[in-house]
Amino acid sequence: MDNSEFIGSVARRLRTSPEQATAITRATLTTLAERIDGGEARDLSARLPDELRAYAFAPRDKAQRFGIDVFVQQVSGRAEVDGTTAKAGMRAVFDTLREAIPPGDYDDVITHLPAEFWELTDSAGRYDGKRGG
């Protein structure tokens, strides 16, 4: 999936402009990269379109441990949208990620997140016993 297809998928899911979809995608990937371990973020980054790779590249190796409420606040602030739009946007980005990268790679990322994220990631059925914390 190239950049325009990725952003187009997010925009369609949100029923929003490509510009807003781009902002939400970048904000979600940046926040996700902070929330998961650096190695996992680098692996994710390598699977993304060139234009999005830098946003998923972790700033440090050790993940920051924060819950979904902080994740939503971070995305909301970075994308300059309200919390409801941020949460819907995060779901659209995760849904697009699930389609854009190999299933095992997607599951590797998601298992680094606590169960409270599953409503956004649709991963409850694929939970394999690992748990992000």
Side-chain angles (χ1 to χ4, degrees):
M1 185 177 287
D2 68 20
N3 187 64
S4 63
E5 291 170 325
F6 196 103
I7 297 300
S9 174
V10 173
R12 278 189 304 281
R13 291 173 197 278
L14 281 175
R15 297 184 182 140
T16 193
S17 69
E19 294 78 18
Q20 187 172 53
T22 297
I24 290 170
T25 298
R26 290 173 176 174
T28 300
L29 292 173
T30 299
T31 307
L32 178 62
E34 293 170 350
R35 182 59 185 81
I36 62 177
D37 290 332
E40 199 58 53
R42 286 187 289 278
D43 289 347
L44 172 62
S45 177
R47 302 273 187 246
L48 294 172
D50 289 343
E51 298 86 345
L52 296 175
R53 285 185 180 166
Y55 296 97
F57 201 83
R60 59 184 67 85
D61 281 335
K62 188 155 176 67
Q64 296 178 35
R65 301 293 180 212
F66 51 82
I68 196 162
D69 292 338
V70 172
F71 199 109
V72 171
Q73 290 171 357
Q74 292 288 340
V75 171
S76 175
R78 287 176 169 147
E80 298 180 358
V81 296
D82 63 41
T84 301
T85 302
K87 199 167 189 177
M90 290 160 48
R91 182 185 308 256
V93 171
F94 279 112
D95 286 348
T96 301
L97 276 174
R98 191 174 47 253
E99 293 175 359
I101 65 176
D105 292 342
Y106 179 80
D107 289 343
D108 286 347
V109 169
I110 299 312
T111 59
H112 285 84
L113 299 172
E116 67 180 331
F117 283 80
W118 291 352
E119 71 178 74
L120 295 175
T121 63
D122 191 31
S123 295
R126 291 191 295 273
Y127 181 64
D128 64 0
K130 294 184 207 172
R131 182 163 180 187

